[in-house]
Amino acid sequence: MQYGMIGYYVPHSIYPAGYHCNPQQPLPFASLASQKNYMSIYLMCTYSDPGQETWFREAWAKTGKKLNMGKSCVRFKKLEDLPLKVIGQAIKRVSVKKFISYYESATQGSSASRRRKC
């Protein structure tokens, strides 16, 4: 659990620097949260790479299901709204090494300026 969400994270044993907003927390990879009117799945592994996001949107469209995608989440009301195979493939497509590399390139700069964005 992190930030009130069930999640999969890159552990400190693999990425000791942790999450830039709070280095004591492991780096989030994918999470599931329950909001007041919907649930959300956060796929940081998808949002961190524009090519991966394009693939994800196209794969989702092929399922015929409606995509309700925010800047950092996919919102849904019931499990049947999700093409679970697409979500599984999206997670499988991004190795931890690739995710860390993109994460580091996206968060370069002073730690003080990065913390303000969180």
Side-chain angles (χ1 to χ4, degrees):
M1 294 287 292
Q2 185 180 44
Y3 300 107
M5 298 183 283
I6 297 168
Y8 293 92
Y9 308 94
V10 179
H12 282 107
S13 60
I14 294 173
Y15 190 67
Y19 186 41
H20 70 276
C21 292
N22 181 353
Q24 293 177 338
Q25 296 287 330
L27 181 62
F29 190 79
S31 303
L32 178 65
S34 181
Q35 309 298 337
K36 183 177 180 179
N37 296 314
Y38 56 87
M39 291 169 280
S40 299
I41 186 163
Y42 294 84
L43 299 170
M44 283 62 78
C45 56
T46 295
Y47 293 101
S48 64
D49 180 345
Q52 176 72 359
E53 183 177 344
T54 299
W55 173 89
F56 182 76
R57 288 178 180 274
E58 290 171 358
W60 190 295
K62 289 176 186 175
T63 69
K65 294 184 183 274
K66 181 183 177 197
L67 176 60
N68 183 352
M69 190 170 180
K71 187 172 182 177
S72 66
C73 69
V74 173
R75 294 177 287 270
F76 63 100
K77 293 200 179 224
K78 53 189 180 212
L79 190 59
E80 295 78 28
D81 295 339
L82 298 175
L84 296 176
K85 286 186 179 183
V86 172
I87 292 168
Q89 289 172 336
I91 291 169
K92 185 177 179 180
R93 287 172 51 96
V94 181
S95 70
V96 171
K97 184 176 180 177
K98 181 178 176 182
F99 175 63
I100 290 170
S101 176
Y102 192 86
Y103 171 79
E104 286 180 338
S105 69
T107 58
Q108 286 180 348
S110 75
S111 59
S113 67
R114 289 193 311 248
R115 281 193 187 96
R116 275 180 279 188
K117 294 178 185 177
C118 299

